[in-house]
Amino acid sequence: MEKILRQKAKELLESGAVNVVIGYGWNRSKTRTTPVFITDPAQADTLVWNPLCVNNLSLYLTRKFKEIKALGKPAIVAKGCDIRNIVVLITEGQFKREDVFIIGMTCNGVVYKQELWKGELTANIMPTKCHNCDVRNPHMTDFVVGEKTNFTPPEVPTGMVFDKIKELDSKPQSERWDFWIKEFSKCVKCYACRQVCSLCYCERCITEKNMPQWIETSAHPRGNLSWNLTRAMHLVGRCTFCGECERACPVNIPLNLINQKMIGVVKESFDFKSGYDEKTHPPMIVFSPDDKENFIK
Amino acid sequence: MADKILKKAGLGALIESVTGKGGRFVAPTTDSRQVVFKKVKSAEEVATDYILARNSFKEFLFPQTEVVAEFTMSKDSVDMKGVEVYAPQTVVFGARPCEAASLAGMRALFTWDFIDEFYTKREENTVVVTVACTKGDDACFCTTVNLSPESTEGTDVYLREAADSYIVQAVTEKGKKFVETHAAVFSEGNAKAEPLFMPEKIANIDIAKVSARLKDKTHYDDKVWARLTSKCIGCGACTFVCPTCRCFDIVDEGTAFEGERRKNWDSCQYDTFTLHASGHNPREHQHQRWRNRFMCKFHFYPEKFSSKGCVGCGRCIRVCPVRLDITEVMEEFSK
C-alpha cells in the first residue's frame, strides 16, 4: 500500500494537481509516526502507512492552520474515520469538496495509542472505533489505496466504551455526577482536547471570551466542569467519535464516554450519525418542519 | 563501610513518620491508568514499576491554580486581602534525577526580580528524594543535555535501588536533616545496587552548538522553524507536563462584589498567550510559539540564569499528540 500511496502523492505533486500532501511519516528512530506535509515530489517516498497512523489529519485542513493553508491545495491521506470528519467540515461550510484531494486508505484498524504498539495489531490495543468500524473502505475519496477489506476484529475485548456507558447509565444520577466530577477534577485546562479536534475549529473559543468570562480559566472543579460540558454540548450531532481528544488528554479523562453517549442520544432523537454524507447537514444546524419537538413549529 | 539503607518494606514506616509529623508525602501512584505524582497515605499506593510519572512534581511547588489574594468591592472602594501561603512540610519521593535538576531554573525565575513566596516557601519546605533510574525508554535524553541517572542536582536525598532496599545518600543539608529526623526507618547495611539505565547520548546533538546558534539571531525568521514545527497543534500539553515550564496567568474570578485573584498555569503554546489588547499578536503563527519555547529552554534560561531550561526527561515527547520530538529540532540546530 505504501508504494501506491507514494506513487500517487508524487504524481499529484508533479502534475501540480495539489501543492501539498498531508500524510504520515516516521520520527527519527522510526518507532512512531508523525504528521508530515510533503511539498516536494522527491520527498513523497517518506510517506508511510501502518497501524501507527492514528492521527486524524483532517485537523490540518481547518482554518486554525493558516500556514498549511498557505501552502496551496492539499491532498490528505485519510482513513475512513478521518474522512467522516472531513464530511462534517464540508457540511459546515468550512471548505468545499473540491478544495481537497482525498487519498482514502482502506484500513484494518490502528492502535489506540502509539506507545501500545509491540509489533502486532490486536483487538486489545485498538480503540472502540476500530472494533465497530463501518468505514474500513473509505466512503468519500478521490483515490483509494488498498484492496477492499471485509475485516472484522476477532474477540473484541469487553469493558470498552459501550460497556462502560451501559454501566454508567445503570447508576443513579448522583453516582454518575460523582463519577464525572472525579474525572473532571483531574483536568489541567490545557485544552489539548480542543486543539486536537478538527471540529473545534473556532478561531475564538468560548474559553477565550473574557468580557464576561464565560468559563473560568482556573483548573478548579467549577471551571473544569463548565469547560468539559460546554465542549461536549458543542460537539453534539457533529462528533464522529474519532477519539483524538481522549488520546491527546494528558490526564486520561475518558472523553470517549461523553462523546459516544451524545452520539447515541442524537441517533435516537434524530436518527442521524455524522460524517457519512456531505450533503446532509447535522441536526443541530437545520430547521426541519418534520422535527418531532413541537416548539420548533 | 556500611551504607545507609532504606528497606523497601520500610517505606510505609517512612510515610507514616512524615505524615505523622503533619507533612505531606508525594509519590508516583497509579491513577486513571497512568502513573502520576500524587499525595499518598500508604506504601501500597506507591508505584514502583514506572519510568517517569506522567506529570512532573512541579504542581506541588507551583500548583495549577492558586488563590493569591481575596478582594471585596463596594461602590467606592476595593479591599484586597492577602492569603497565607500554603507551604506544608513535603516529601517528594521517587522523582528522577532529571526532573530534580529542574529546581534550579524554577528558583531562579521565582526569585528573579521579585521573591515569589508562594513558590519559595513551599520549595524550602520540600525534600526531594530521588530514585535513580533502572529503566527508561526511547524518549529519555538526559545524557544529551549533560545530565544522567547519576546526577544529584536539585536532589536532597539520592536513592539507588537494590533488590529489597534503597541505598541512601543524603546530598544536601536539608537531606541530611531529613534522614536524621526519620532515623528510625533507616538502617546500616550492605546492598548491591541495581545497574542504572543510561540513555544513549544522541549522536548528532551538541547542546553548546544549539545554544550558540540560538544566540545568533539570524535563525529567527529562518524557514526551518515552520518546516520542523508547523505540525504543532498548540495544545500546550508539553508545557503542562514539563518540569521546567513555569509560565502563569493572573485572573480575578468571582462576582461583581467579591472574588479571588488566582495564579493559573499558562502556556506559551497558546495563541492568546502573547495576544495584545490592540489585537496585534507578535507570535501569530504556531511555529513562532514553538520557537519561543525552544529558545526559552536552550537560550533564555542558560543565558539569563545559567540554569538548565531542559533536563531531558522526555515528557514532552511522550505526551505530544503529533509526536513532535524536541530532540529532532535539537539535532537540526546542532548542524
Side-chain angles (χ1 to χ4, degrees):
Chain A
M1 279 172 84
E2 252 172 18
K3 210 173 141 193
I4 303 169
L5 168 67
R6 290 169 181 173
Q7 185 60 40
K8 187 68 193 175
K10 202 170 173 188
E11 214 178 282
L12 287 167
L13 289 167
E14 271 171 354
S15 71
V18 305
N19 306 98
V20 56
V21 177
I22 304 172
Y24 305 93
W26 282 126
N27 66 344
R28 178 183 47 222
S29 50
K30 296 196 174 179
T31 50
R32 305 274 193 271
T33 68
T34 178
V36 289
F37 313 111
I38 312 274
T39 49
D40 176 3
Q43 294 289 314
D45 284 347
T46 59
L47 286 168
V48 299
W49 172 251
N50 57 52
L52 293 171
C53 297
V54 288
N55 289 57
N56 184 343
L57 301 177
S58 66
L59 170 67
Y60 293 113
L61 298 174
T62 62
R63 56 174 136 155
K64 287 194 285 199
F65 292 87
K66 292 191 185 79
E67 287 174 286
I68 293 160
K69 205 139 243 185
L71 295 174
K73 182 174 174 177
I76 186 166
V77 179
K79 311 179 284 290
C81 47
D82 308 335
I83 294 172
R84 287 183 60 192
N85 284 52
I86 302 177
V87 167
V88 178
L89 288 170
I90 294 171
T91 59
E92 294 180 355
Q94 292 307 302
F95 47 83
K96 296 195 178 70
R97 173 66 188 90
E98 58 271 25
D99 292 341
V100 57
F101 188 98
I102 300 173
I103 306 175
M105 310 299 289
T106 61
C107 177
N108 289 343
V110 291
V111 289
Y112 168 56
K113 286 189 175 183
Q114 294 203 50
E115 52 268 36
L116 297 172
W117 179 250
K118 299 278 180 296
E120 194 196 352
L121 185 66
T122 59
N124 281 324
I125 58 169
M126 283 182 192
T128 298
K129 70 168 176 179
C130 293
H131 298 147
N132 305 292
C133 183
D134 56 2
V135 284
R136 294 193 189 289
N137 299 298
H139 54 298
M140 182 182 72
T141 57
D142 295 292
F143 184 79
V144 179
V145 180
E147 297 290 317
K148 205 166 163 39
T149 171
N150 297 313
F151 176 78
T152 36
E155 291 169 46
V156 172
T158 53
M160 301 288 283
V161 174
F162 288 97
D163 295 343
K164 281 192 189 136
I165 291 176
K166 241 182 242 163
E167 191 194 322
L168 267 178
D169 279 347
S170 69
K171 288 182 178 166
Q173 193 194 13
S174 65
E175 278 181 44
R176 296 204 299 268
W177 179 255
D178 292 344
F179 172 86
W180 285 113
I181 291 297
K182 186 164 173 273
E183 289 294 339
F184 292 150
S185 72
K186 291 182 296 193
C187 178
V188 291
K189 286 291 191 75
C190 67
Y191 305 123
C193 47
R194 173 189 76 186
Q195 291 303 109
V196 82
C197 178
S198 57
L199 302 182
C200 270
Y201 52 68
C202 291
E203 275 171 295
R204 196 157 171 232
C205 175
I206 187 165
T207 57
E208 279 140 22
K209 293 185 180 162
N210 55 6
M211 290 166 75
Q213 185 79 48
W214 293 101
I215 293 177
E216 293 182 342
T217 57
S218 306
H220 54 44
R222 190 174 53 197
N224 290 351
L225 183 71
S226 45
W227 162 243
N228 284 282
L229 289 188
T230 304
R231 180 165 181 274
M233 288 304 160
H234 285 189
L235 285 169
V236 171
R238 308 172 62 231
C239 174
T240 65
F241 192 49
C242 76
E244 286 288 87
C245 50
E246 182 173 302
R247 185 177 69 84
C249 179
V251 295
N252 276 1
I253 297 173
L255 296 164
N256 278 344
L257 297 184
I258 305 177
N259 294 331
Q260 185 54 52
K261 176 70 190 172
M262 290 298 182
I263 288 168
V265 171
V266 171
K267 173 82 180 117
E268 212 171 275
S269 308
F270 303 99
D271 192 26
F272 179 82
K273 271 178 91 181
S274 62
Y276 289 94
D277 175 16
E278 77 273 23
K279 293 186 183 70
T280 312
H281 292 297
M284 292 300 151
I285 60 168
V286 290
F287 168 77
S288 165
D290 302 330
D291 198 291
K292 66 181 185 184
E293 298 291 346
N294 276 324
F295 73 88
I296 209 161
K297 287 169 190 167
Chain B
M1 201 184 87
D3 292 317
K4 180 96 39 208
I5 296 286
L6 170 64
K7 292 270 180 216
K8 284 183 181 170
L11 185 58
L14 178 63
I15 297 175
E16 269 172 41
S17 182
V18 171
T19 53
K21 293 182 172 65
R24 58 176 180 169
F25 197 93
V26 173
T29 181
T30 302
D31 181 32
S32 296
R33 308 165 296 286
Q34 59 187 2
V35 174
V36 290
F37 277 113
K38 266 184 96 167
K39 206 168 105 177
V40 296
K41 292 199 182 74
S42 71
E44 289 75 58
E45 293 173 64
V46 179
T48 48
D49 185 25
Y50 68 101
I51 293 169
L52 270 166
R54 181 85 151 183
N55 57 345
S56 84
F57 65 80
K58 74 175 172 190
E59 67 185 69
F60 296 92
L61 302 172
F62 164 44
Q64 282 163 40
T65 179
E66 172 166 42
V67 180
V68 292
E70 288 164 355
F71 59 84
T72 48
M73 279 192 277
S74 57
K75 216 170 187 179
D76 40 31
S77 74
V78 178
D79 291 318
M80 294 288 287
K81 207 172 85 194
V83 295
E84 211 176 304
V85 178
Y86 174 69
Q89 292 295 329
T90 301
V91 175
V92 174
F93 180 89
R96 296 304 187 194
C98 55
E99 53 192 334
S102 67
L103 289 177
M106 279 280 191
R107 192 167 182 89
L109 189 275
F110 286 116
T111 56
W112 171 34
D113 52 354
F114 168 77
I115 307 290
D116 186 337
E117 289 189 340
F118 289 93
Y119 177 83
T120 55
K121 281 195 176 165
R122 258 192 300 265
E123 199 219 67
E124 279 151 20
N125 288 345
T126 299
V127 177
V128 178
V129 181
T130 304
V131 178
C133 322
T134 50
K135 53 184 204 166
D137 65 11
D138 60 352
C140 290
F141 64 101
C142 60
T143 48
T144 308
V145 293
N146 303 329
L147 285 168
S148 91
E150 286 171 337
S151 313
T152 54
E153 259 177 71
T155 292
D156 295 308
V157 181
Y158 179 80
L159 304 184
R160 280 284 304 266
E161 237 179 294
D164 59 354
S165 59
Y166 299 102
I167 303 164
V168 180
Q169 183 200 339
V171 180
T172 59
E173 283 307 315
K174 202 164 38 168
K176 282 180 193 141
K177 215 175 136 215
F178 171 76
V179 174
E180 276 164 30
T181 311
H182 305 285
V185 300
F186 296 99
S187 55
E188 302 280 321
N190 283 302
K192 192 174 172 299
E194 306 259 347
L196 295 177
F197 171 84
M198 285 284 173
E200 213 170 298
K201 200 166 182 298
I202 301 170
N204 302 328
I205 297 179
D206 181 343
I207 284 295
K209 271 191 190 164
V210 174
S211 290
R213 175 117 184 256
L214 292 177
K215 204 171 174 177
D216 168 18
K217 291 186 184 65
T218 56
H219 72 82
Y220 209 69
D221 292 318
D222 198 314
K223 284 196 171 64
V224 69
W225 291 112
R227 177 162 63 77
L228 292 171
T229 67
S230 55
K231 66 185 169 192
C232 174
I233 60 170
C235 73
C238 50
T239 60
F240 280 58
V241 296
C242 175
T244 64
C245 277
R246 29 79 220 85
C247 283
F248 59 86
D249 183 31
I250 301 282
V251 294
D252 290 344
E253 289 181 351
T255 65
F257 309 104
E258 58 176 358
E260 292 169 336
R261 175 156 291 180
R262 293 199 172 101
K263 183 171 147 192
N264 292 336
W265 285 1
D266 201 351
S267 168
C268 60
Q269 297 307 297
Y270 296 160
D271 54 355
T272 47
F273 187 78
T274 48
L275 183 63
H276 296 181
S278 66
H280 172 66
N281 192 344
R283 290 184 216 135
E284 198 188 344
H285 298 293
Q286 194 58 38
H287 75 255
Q288 298 165 329
R289 294 170 210 137
W290 212 93
R291 178 189 64 205
N292 177 73
R293 182 163 187 269
F294 192 75
M295 287 184 72
C296 185
K297 303 286 177 223
F298 298 106
H299 178 55
F300 304 153
Y301 263 59
E303 178 101 345
K304 204 174 194 81
F305 301 128
S306 312
S307 66
K308 283 195 157 52
C310 172
V311 295
C313 68
R315 281 190 175 91
C316 56
I317 304 172
R318 292 184 198 97
V319 82
C320 180
V322 297
R323 200 72 187 182
L324 209 175
D325 188 333
I326 194 167
T327 63
E328 290 180 19
V329 184
M330 289 160 77
E331 200 175 343
E332 181 73 30
F333 276 82
S334 300
K335 281 179 187 164

